[in-house]
């Protein structure tokens, strides 16, 4: 079983739609959680950190459910520029290192 | 540009050749990471440095791979006797780690390796 699992998609949605991605992680010792965005043939870039209380940044809302070990990302009012791969990322501090464990990513295609 | 830089951006090599990649982290970032990413997958951890000390190596890092960060600034990743399975994007990231608290990792643009 992969440490971080995501639905690969693609999610094809029209502009203005609301879309949600989920991600599950297997290491219960995971402490930090993130969503990264990766455009085609580019490096990953941090979209937002995910906090236990949930957090929002403009059209983006992230939620964490520690009991069920899943993380979600909600995108409202989708824009064409949101088309990208969204990577779910966790950091398990029990390993003593700070390297990130990435999911395989969920591809989003927003259509006009 | 004060971000993470990597060189070269692309490398095509023949099987069996050695290749070396360079990463220049954001200045004053004490942590430097190497990841590998293949098509359709997320980046996978290879190794990381705290200043000049290499603190961990993934089991993905076979003995053909070696990484250095001699002065705690730039880092090099060398692959000896390349194999076709080494074809991937090699990503470098850096971050600040203070008193056990890690901050955002910033990624470089990557070096795309193709082994023919």
């Amino acid at each position: 079983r992969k440490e971080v699992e995501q639905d690969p998609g693609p999610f094809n949605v029209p502009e203005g739609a609301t879309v949600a991605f989920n991600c599950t992680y297997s290491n219960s010792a995971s402490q930090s959680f993130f969503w990264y965005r990766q455009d085609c043939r580019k490096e990953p870039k941090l979209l937002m950190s995910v906090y236990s209380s949930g957090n929002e940044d403009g059209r983006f809302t992230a939620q964490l459910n520690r009991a069920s070990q899943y993380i979600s990302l909600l995108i409202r009012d989708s824009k064409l520029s949101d088309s990208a791969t969204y990577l779910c990322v966790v950091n398990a501090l029990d390993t003593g290192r700070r390297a990130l464990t990435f999911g395989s990513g969920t591809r989003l295609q927003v259509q006009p | 540009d004060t971000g993470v830089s990597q060189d070269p951006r692309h490398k095509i090599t023949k099987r069996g050749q050695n290749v070396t990649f360079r990463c220049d982290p954001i200045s004053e970032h004490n942590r430097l990471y190497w990841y590998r990413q293949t098509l359709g997958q997320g980046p996978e951890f290879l190794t990381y440095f705290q200043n000049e000390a290499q603190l961990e190596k993934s089991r993905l890092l076979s003995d053909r791979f070696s990484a250095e960060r001699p002065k705690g600034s730039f880092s090099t990743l060398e692959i000896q006797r390349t194999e076709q399975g080494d074809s991937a994007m090699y990503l470098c990231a850096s971050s600040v780690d203070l008193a056990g608290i890690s901050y955002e990792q910033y990624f470089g643009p990557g070096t795309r390796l193709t082994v023919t």
Side-chain angles (χ1 to χ4, degrees):
Chain A
R1 183 185 172 190
K2 289 185 177 180
E3 287 187 60
V4 180
E5 298 212 49
Q6 296 182 249
D7 181 343
F11 284 60
N12 295 304
V13 303
E15 271 187 289
T18 296
V19 61
F21 307 136
N22 291 327
C23 156
T24 58
Y25 60 94
S26 61
N27 188 340
S28 59
S30 297
Q31 295 283 340
S32 304
F33 309 89
F34 310 91
W35 284 100
Y36 274 69
R37 171 195 168 125
Q38 187 170 28
D39 293 297
C40 189
R41 304 182 79 83
K42 300 284 190 180
E43 72 272 23
K45 294 187 178 178
L46 180 66
L47 179 65
M48 58 197 304
S49 300
V50 186
Y51 304 119
S52 296
S53 54
N55 49 300
E56 188 173 308
D57 182 3
R59 298 181 293 108
F60 299 85
T61 300
Q63 297 279 350
L64 168 63
N65 185 319
R66 285 187 183 272
S68 301
Q69 295 183 201
Y70 83 76
I71 308 154
S72 64
L73 177 68
L74 183 78
I75 305 175
R76 289 181 300 277
D77 189 24
S78 301
K79 312 290 185 190
L80 293 175
S81 58
D82 294 334
S83 297
T85 296
Y86 291 83
L87 298 162
C88 176
V89 188
V90 306
N91 184 344
L93 299 185
D94 66 334
T95 64
R97 59 172 160 90
R98 303 292 190 266
L100 304 173
T101 301
F102 287 79
S104 298
T106 298
R107 195 155 65 88
L108 172 65
Q109 185 65 47
V110 181
Q111 296 165 336
Chain B
D1 187 350
T2 57
V4 179
S5 62
Q6 292 186 245
D7 182 70
R9 296 290 304 277
H10 304 275
K11 179 71 177 178
I12 300 174
T13 191
K14 291 185 179 179
R15 187 163 51 95
Q17 298 294 305
N18 299 344
V19 294
T20 300
F21 310 141
R22 177 179 169 125
C23 170
D24 286 88
I26 294 171
S27 58
E28 295 163 5
H29 277 194
N30 55 350
R31 289 234 170 180
L32 187 148
Y33 302 82
W34 285 99
Y35 294 85
R36 181 174 71 184
Q37 185 174 25
T38 53
L39 195 63
Q41 301 298 315
E44 295 174 294
F45 168 73
L46 292 178
T47 188
Y48 85 98
F49 294 83
Q50 172 93 4
N51 300 312
E52 65 276 6
Q54 187 174 17
L55 296 186
E56 185 176 347
K57 293 191 281 189
S58 160
R59 60 180 180 275
L60 291 176
L61 213 67
S62 76
D63 55 9
R64 296 184 298 106
F65 288 70
S66 62
E68 294 182 342
R69 194 183 183 197
K71 297 182 180 178
S73 56
F74 74 91
S75 174
T76 57
L77 177 68
E78 181 183 16
I79 309 175
Q80 296 182 324
R81 304 181 304 281
T82 51
E83 301 172 356
Q84 287 187 321
D86 297 332
S87 296
M89 174 76 87
Y90 290 84
L91 292 160
C92 175
S94 70
S95 70
V96 171
D97 187 277
L98 300 173
I101 298 174
S102 291
Y103 297 87
E104 177 185 349
Q105 291 189 21
Y106 292 84
F107 283 81
T111 295
R112 184 170 297 280
L113 173 66
T114 302
V115 181
T116 61

